Structure formats: C-alpha cells, structure tokens
Amino acid sequence: MFAQHSKPALLHPPGAGLSMDELQLAARNHGLPLEMLRDEVTPPGLHYLLVHFDIPHVDARSWRLRIDGAVARPITLDLDDLRQRERKTTRVTVECAGNGRARLDPRPESQPWLVEAVGTADWTGTPLAPILRDAGIDEGVVDIVFTGADHGIERGIEQHYQRGLGLNDALNDEVLLAYEMNGAPLPPQHGFPVRLVVPGWYGMAHVKWLTRIDAVTEAFDGYQNAIAYRLRNNVTEPGIPVTRIEPRALLVPPGFPDFMSRRRFLRPGPTTVEGRAWSGWAPVTAVDVSTDAGASWSAAMLDGDDHGRWAWSRFSMQWDAPPGEHELCARAHDASGRVQDSQPRWSIGGFANNEVQRMAVLVADH
Ligand SMILES: Nc1nc2c(c(=O)[nH]1)N[C@H]1C(S)=C(S)[C@@H](COP(=O)(O)O)O[C@H]1N2
Ligand SMILES: [Mo]
C-alpha cells in the first residue's frame, strides 16, 4: 500500500545541483562544524547527526530491551538492569558511511555530506558480549540483529531501522550497549535511552533507540544490510558490505571564513595547520599535508593515541604561509596500508568516499 509512494533510488546526472529533497535531509541531519576538530571530544549538539526516519519518543521507565531469537534463555532488561552491569567508557570516533557522497558525480540522492559527517564522544554503557553469553547463543547462529524503535519506509520497504552484525563481530569485547554520551544520558537524537556502539565501524552499525536484539541462524537479509549499505556500482551486483571506517584526515579550517563560500582568509606568516585523522581498520601511522593542491606533501606531526585506539588522533604542521592562493590538503595512512586517494571512490549508495579534503585559502599580502 505504501510502497509505491516511497521515493526510489535516484542518481543526479553529472553537474546537477542539489535537489529540495537533499536540502530537506541536510537541514534535519547535520555535520560537525569543522572548527570543532580542535576538540578531542565533540559536545553532543555538535556531533554529526543522521536519522533515517523520525527520532522516536521513548519513555525510559517503560522501555525494555528484549534479547531473543535463537537463544537458550531470552532476556528482558530495563535501564536499571543495564546500569547495574559492568560499566565501561570508550572514546570512539564515528563517521557516517555516506560521508563524501555529495562530492560524487553522478551523485546518489541521499544525505549530501561533503566531509563533515564525523564526531568523537565518550560512550558509556555495558559490554554486549556477556549479555549474549547469558542468553546462551544457539549453535548455528550467524548474525545478531539489532532493532531500533524508529520506523519508516525506505526505497519501497517499510521497516524498523535494523542492522545485522556477524556473531563474531557482535561478541567482540569492544561492542557496547551505550546509555551515556560524554557523561550524560544519551540525547534523544543520538539514541536515547540505549544505542549500540561498534568501535571502528561506520555509523550505520551503531543502531540507536534499541528495543530488540535477536540471534538468527540465517544471514540477516533486512534492507539496511542486504540492499543499502553495500559497495557496488549497480543494483544487479551483490556488492561488498560496508563495515569498517576507511582512513581520513580532516583539517581545522585555518584563518577565518567568507560567510557564503566558506573560503578561508589568512594573514601571511607562521601558522599551525592542524586536524584529526582516524581509521577503523588499523591505527593511523602518518598524515601528509600539502599546501599546493597535492603537488607536494610533507609529513605532519602525529600526536600519540593516548585516548585509545578508537578515537581520532591530532596532527599538526608549521606553515609559513606566503601571500597568494593556496589549496591545503591532508591525507591519512593507516597500519593496514590503506591511504586516502585524491580520486573519489564511486558506488551507487555513495559510501566510503574518503578522497582527500581540499581547502582553498587566500593568504593576504600583508
Ligand atoms: N535506529 C537507528 N539507528 C541508526 C540510524 C537510524 O536512522 N536509526 N542511523 C544510522 C546511521 S546511518 C548513522 S551514520 C549513525 C549516526 O549516529 P549519530 O546520529 O549518533 O551521529 O546512526 C546509525 N544508527
Ligand atoms: Mo550513516
């Protein structure tokens, strides 16, 4: 009944401007103001936001989390039950898999991120694995399915937001059922009262507003796993599931901006170029910075990862800015050998495009 009223996937032809539907999405969901890359931890209102459907209204007192499916002992937990379990805080950088999508050409219609769909928070909660073990996962379970309270229709399929995670990934010690962000209860938009946090994985895995966790014995074929988050060039390919975060470095925009274009203006002389870099595959090993549009690169200083494996690292470089027009770029390398490309990575959903950031800077002559 509703399916034929849901908007199908659309590719905007090369050079097409932003549509009203994209503007509507961009106005609801927002990115990290890049100047906030100065801060190790992002204040909740400035952390990027992505909500596929509506922010659901959840009453904390009547909220329950049901662990069910192919388990020996289904469990129902309330918020106090979760709070009484082992408490753990992890600093985690989360990035939307669609970050970089708006720079693709042709452009897949969806949330039109440029580079700003990222943030870092201290997520506090209880590890998922002991709860799964208490429930007694049946032999033959392959995926754990996480269901959010939010409901909608996407490309003709009515659904709760749901994601399956492979059993081994779900049993990883790092995976949290988080009930606090930066030491306060989760804000409504970030998953109140409880969300999943899967350190190192793109945002889509971090299911918000959790209501159910189900063990299943067949690979989960729900929309967000089987159709949406796959790297593929057309709908006929099965594609590769989107999982961990590709390396990326972003610069704190230097100097000051023009209101409309956000082009940067800087006075000449010594300045510190800085930013943050992360990768979900392996630790960041180096960041290169270019002040000449990628014609030449210099190694930036990389701060140690004192804040744990899953948080971004700060990098910096001294630059004696000469008068004139410059294009600054930064690129991250990680210990798995991955490095950012200067070319975009295209896929039909516009995922994992970690092409290097480019920032035009005009340095005044005095
Ligand atoms: N229930 C639910 N969980 C969700 C989503 C959603 O729409 N509903 N969006 C996902 C996507 S695509 C991203 S990028 C992250 C965004 O998390 P944030 O808004 O807390 O930054 O949440 C993920 N978890
Ligand atoms: Mo996302």
Side-chain angles (χ1 to χ4, degrees), residues 48 50 52 96-98 203-204 229:
Y48 90 95
L50 193 99
H52 284 231
C96 178
M204 76 281 149
Y229 289 99

Short mmCIF file of all heavy atoms in Angstrom, two decimals, residues 48 50 52 96-98 203-204 229, ligand 2:
data_model
loop_
_atom_site.label_atom_id
_atom_site.label_comp_id
_atom_site.label_asym_id
_atom_site.label_seq_id
_atom_site.Cartn_x
_atom_site.Cartn_y
_atom_site.Cartn_z
N TYR A 48 28.07 15.02 14.56
CA TYR A 48 27.20 14.86 13.38
C TYR A 48 25.98 14.03 13.78
O TYR A 48 26.00 13.29 14.77
CB TYR A 48 27.97 14.23 12.22
CG TYR A 48 27.92 12.71 12.17
CD1 TYR A 48 26.97 12.06 11.39
CD2 TYR A 48 28.79 11.94 12.91
CE1 TYR A 48 26.91 10.67 11.34
CE2 TYR A 48 28.74 10.56 12.86
CZ TYR A 48 27.80 9.93 12.08
OH TYR A 48 27.74 8.56 12.03
N LEU A 50 22.70 11.65 12.10
CA LEU A 50 21.97 11.07 10.98
C LEU A 50 20.82 10.19 11.48
O LEU A 50 21.03 9.26 12.25
CB LEU A 50 22.85 10.24 10.05
CG LEU A 50 22.01 9.99 8.79
CD1 LEU A 50 22.34 10.91 7.67
CD2 LEU A 50 22.01 8.58 8.37
N HIS A 52 17.49 8.23 9.83
CA HIS A 52 16.81 7.86 8.59
C HIS A 52 15.34 8.25 8.61
O HIS A 52 14.81 8.73 7.62
CB HIS A 52 16.89 6.34 8.37
CG HIS A 52 18.24 5.87 7.89
ND1 HIS A 52 18.40 5.07 6.79
CD2 HIS A 52 19.49 6.10 8.37
CE1 HIS A 52 19.69 4.81 6.60
NE2 HIS A 52 20.37 5.42 7.56
N CYS A 96 29.78 8.69 9.37
CA CYS A 96 28.74 8.12 8.50
C CYS A 96 29.39 7.56 7.25
O CYS A 96 30.28 8.17 6.65
CB CYS A 96 27.73 9.21 8.12
SG CYS A 96 26.43 8.60 7.02
N ALA A 97 28.91 6.37 6.84
CA ALA A 97 29.45 5.73 5.63
C ALA A 97 29.21 6.59 4.39
O ALA A 97 29.90 6.46 3.38
CB ALA A 97 28.82 4.35 5.45
N GLY A 98 28.22 7.49 4.46
CA GLY A 98 27.91 8.35 3.32
C GLY A 98 28.73 9.62 3.29
O GLY A 98 28.55 10.46 2.39
N GLY A 203 28.97 4.50 10.89
CA GLY A 203 27.81 4.83 11.71
C GLY A 203 26.62 3.88 11.62
O GLY A 203 25.96 3.61 12.62
N MET A 204 26.37 3.34 10.44
CA MET A 204 25.13 2.55 10.25
C MET A 204 25.04 1.36 11.19
O MET A 204 23.95 0.86 11.47
CB MET A 204 24.97 2.10 8.78
CG MET A 204 25.85 0.95 8.33
SD MET A 204 27.54 1.44 7.97
CE MET A 204 28.46 -0.02 8.41
N TYR A 229 23.58 -0.74 2.59
CA TYR A 229 25.00 -0.48 2.85
C TYR A 229 25.91 -1.49 2.18
O TYR A 229 26.53 -2.33 2.83
CB TYR A 229 25.24 -0.40 4.36
CG TYR A 229 24.64 0.86 4.94
CD1 TYR A 229 23.40 0.84 5.57
CD2 TYR A 229 25.31 2.07 4.81
CE1 TYR A 229 22.84 2.01 6.06
CE2 TYR A 229 24.76 3.24 5.30
CZ TYR A 229 23.52 3.21 5.93
OH TYR A 229 22.98 4.36 6.40
MO MO B 2 25.26 6.87 8.11
#
